[in-house]
């Protein structure tokens, strides 16, 4: 017996972590993950060969981000996620909140801009096209908080509490589109907040924290709504296969708890990243100020001392 047109049998055994981590690759995400790692590795090798450095931490973060996607989509977690709300919620939260943070810390756009060769004069190559995209009006719109915060919230409420979720889960293409959407939403939400790559919308650090806290509570509210519900709220998971031995309402409560818990974890990760970035920015500014003072003999300090002296003269 098939589920949702995916050709996946409904007689899955009861869920255990060992069974969930078994190999069951989705071809689309498998190819995407391998290609992503290969392109990133090519960029790093190209920089190293010409004598440029690339932070190891960025490469590790990007690799972990790709592997986190593969863990969700290329194991049997993806199979169980089709019939268990709790497992699906783990997929959703990881792909929309944890994977984007790790990918963005890897600074893939910066790597591409440094690794791609410039095109010949008068022509446009991949590097030039990427720069055009970064400075386009389109990017200014999709990275602005007026767009990203409502999109981040709507990806929960407008999806799960409408028939759209059941429609997407009814086909393999729909399911893939939904997972790609989760990843894309996470990327555009977190990029202006804590991304290392350059972008059209890059507010100050305090404003970034406000943007983060404007979106995160809605995940907690969503999780609480699922935990407090007295009936199943999503048709796809109303009748789990008997072979799983799970109760639909209990599984939904677990899904709500996962959504609530994940609203805290990314907040902590992003805040730590922001604090480190803030500190590094202040250090760079201090070094620039010191170099400027060395060049001009600290004229700013001399002018301030002269101003104080003039005040004392007037006072006497």
């Amino acid at each position: 017996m098939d589920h949702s047109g995916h050709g996946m049998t409904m007689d899955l055994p009861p869920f255990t972590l060992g069974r969930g981590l078994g190999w069951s690759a989705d071809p689309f995400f498998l190819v995407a993950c391998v290609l992503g790692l290969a392109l990133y590795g090519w960029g790093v090798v190209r920089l190293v060969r010409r004598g440029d450095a690339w932070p190891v931490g960025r490469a590790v973060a990007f690799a972990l981000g790709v592997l986190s996607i593969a863990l969700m989509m290329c194991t049997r977690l993806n199979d169980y996620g089709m019939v268990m709300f709790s497992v699906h919620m783990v997929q959703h939260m990881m792909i929309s909140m944890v994977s984007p943070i790790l990918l963005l810390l890897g600074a893939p756009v910066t790597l591409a801009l440094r690794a791609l060769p410039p095109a010949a004069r008068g022509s446009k190559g991949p590097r030039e096209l990427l720069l055009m995209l970064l400075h386009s009006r389109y990017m200014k719109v999709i990275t602005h908080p007026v767009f990203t915060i409502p999109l981040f919230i709507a990806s929960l409420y407008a999806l799960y509490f409408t028939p759209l979720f059941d429609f997407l889960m009814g086909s393999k293409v729909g399911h893939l589109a939904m997972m790609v959407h989760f990843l894309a939403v996470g990327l555009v939400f977190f990029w202006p907040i804590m991304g290392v790559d350059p972008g059209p919308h890059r507010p100050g650090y305090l404003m970034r924290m406000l943007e983060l806290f404007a979106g995160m509570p809605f995940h907690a509210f969503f999780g609480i709504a699922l935990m407090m519900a007295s009936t199943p709220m999503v048709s796809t998971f109303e009748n789990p296969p008997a072979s799983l031995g799970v109760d639909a309402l209990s599984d939904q409560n677990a899904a709500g708890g996962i959504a609530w818990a994940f609203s805290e974890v990314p907040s902590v990760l992003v805040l730590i990243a922001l604090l480190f970035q803030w500190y590094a920015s202040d250090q760079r500014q201090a070094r620039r100020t010191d170099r400027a003072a060395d060049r001009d003999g600290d004229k700013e300090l001399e002018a301030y001392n002269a101003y104080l002296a003039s005040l004392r003269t007037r006072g006497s």
Side-chain angles (χ1 to χ4, degrees), residues 260-288:
W260 175 79
F262 264 92
S263 67
E264 303 299 326
V265 175
S267 299
V268 174
L269 292 176
V270 173
L271 279 176
I272 292 173
L274 274 177
L275 289 174
F276 272 103
Q277 291 174 12
W278 199 342
Y279 174 76
S281 177
D282 286 346
Q283 292 295 103
R284 288 193 299 268
Q285 182 60 42
R287 287 193 294 269
R288 284 194 293 266

Side-chain angles (χ1 to χ4, degrees), residues 17 23 67 76 81 95 98 107-108 134 139 143 147-148 175 191 199 210 221 236 240 249 256 306 312:
L17 185 59
W23 181 256
L67 293 175
R76 299 207 79 187
I95 288 179
V98 177
L134 287 174
M139 292 303 296
T143 59
F147 179 85
T148 59
H175 181 238
W191 180 14
L210 293 176
F221 298 152
T236 297
L249 189 58
R312 286 196 296 270

Side-chain angles (χ1 to χ4, degrees), residues 73-145:
M73 300 305 301
C74 295
T75 65
R76 299 207 79 187
L77 288 174
N78 194 36
D79 297 335
Y80 279 98
M82 294 301 301
V83 291
M84 291 182 66
F85 202 175
S86 55
V87 179
H88 168 84
M89 193 56 64
V90 171
Q91 286 183 285
H92 179 171
M93 294 296 117
M94 284 290 293
I95 288 179
S96 68
M97 300 179 79
V98 177
S99 301
I101 292 172
L102 293 170
L103 293 176
L104 290 168
L105 288 175
V109 175
T110 300
L111 177 62
L113 291 174
R114 291 182 61 185
L116 288 170
R121 181 171 297 182
S123 61
K124 293 179 181 177
R127 187 177 186 276
E128 288 70 26
L129 293 175
L130 179 57
L131 282 170
M132 287 176 60
L133 177 62
L134 287 174
H135 294 97
S136 66
R137 182 175 298 178
Y138 169 76
M139 292 303 296
K140 290 181 181 178
V141 171
I142 70 167
T143 59
H144 196 280

Side-chain angles (χ1 to χ4, degrees), residues 4-314:
S4 300
H6 286 247
M8 186 190 72
T9 56
M10 297 258 307
D11 57 351
L12 285 169
F15 178 81
T16 64
L17 185 59
R19 288 169 180 160
L21 295 179
W23 181 256
S24 181
D26 177 272
F28 175 84
F29 276 97
L30 178 62
V31 171
C33 288
V34 172
L35 185 61
L37 287 175
L39 289 174
Y40 194 94
W42 170 84
V44 173
V45 170
R46 183 175 173 84
L47 290 185
V48 172
R49 282 181 176 175
R50 73 184 187 203
D52 292 338
W54 184 254
V56 175
R58 289 185 181 180
V60 171
F62 186 85
L64 289 176
V66 173
L67 293 175
S68 68
I69 296 173
L71 180 66
M72 294 297 106
M73 300 305 301
C74 295
T75 65
R76 299 207 79 187
L77 288 174
N78 194 36
D79 297 335
Y80 279 98
M82 294 301 301
V83 291
M84 291 182 66
F85 202 175
S86 55
V87 179
H88 168 84
M89 193 56 64
V90 171
Q91 286 183 285
H92 179 171
M93 294 296 117
M94 284 290 293
I95 288 179
S96 68
M97 300 179 79
V98 177
S99 301
I101 292 172
L102 293 170
L103 293 176
L104 290 168
L105 288 175
V109 175
T110 300
L111 177 62
L113 291 174
R114 291 182 61 185
L116 288 170
R121 181 171 297 182
S123 61
K124 293 179 181 177
R127 187 177 186 276
E128 288 70 26
L129 293 175
L130 179 57
L131 282 170
M132 287 176 60
L133 177 62
L134 287 174
H135 294 97
S136 66
R137 182 175 298 178
Y138 169 76
M139 292 303 296
K140 290 181 181 178
V141 171
I142 70 167
T143 59
H144 196 280
V146 173
F147 179 85
T148 59
I149 295 174
L151 180 66
F152 194 64
I153 297 168
S155 291
L156 283 174
Y157 296 89
L159 182 64
Y160 289 96
F161 295 159
T162 69
L164 180 59
F165 181 82
D166 297 320
F167 171 77
L168 292 174
M169 290 288 280
S171 69
K172 184 174 183 179
V173 173
H175 181 238
L176 286 176
M178 178 168 55
M179 291 300 171
V180 171
H181 169 78
F182 289 156
L183 179 61
V185 169
L187 287 171
V188 298
F189 177 76
F190 288 111
W191 180 14
I193 296 175
M194 47 68 64
V196 182
D197 289 321
H201 176 72
R202 193 52 58 107
Y205 288 98
L206 182 58
M207 185 58 66
R208 295 187 203 182
M209 292 182 182
L210 293 176
E211 288 183 23
L212 172 67
F213 290 119
M216 288 296 112
F218 289 93
H219 274 73
F221 298 152
F222 172 77
I224 292 171
L226 291 180
M227 288 190 289
M228 293 182 63
S230 57
T231 58
M233 300 181 69
V234 179
S235 299
T236 297
F237 303 114
E238 274 185 345
N239 300 297
S243 61
L244 291 174
V246 298
D247 173 69
L249 189 58
S250 298
D251 189 48
Q252 177 175 281
N253 291 341
I258 291 166
W260 175 79
F262 264 92
S263 67
E264 303 299 326
V265 175
S267 299
V268 174
L269 292 176
V270 173
L271 279 176
I272 292 173
L274 274 177
L275 289 174
F276 272 103
Q277 291 174 12
W278 199 342
Y279 174 76
S281 177
D282 286 346
Q283 292 295 103
R284 288 193 299 268
Q285 182 60 42
R287 287 193 294 269
R288 284 194 293 266
T289 303
D290 290 342
R291 287 195 296 267
D294 291 339
R295 287 194 302 269
D296 62 18
D298 210 347
K299 292 180 180 178
E300 184 178 344
L301 180 59
E302 291 177 6
Y304 181 68
N305 288 334
Y307 170 71
L308 292 180
S310 67
L311 290 180
R312 286 196 296 270
T313 302
R314 273 184 276 176

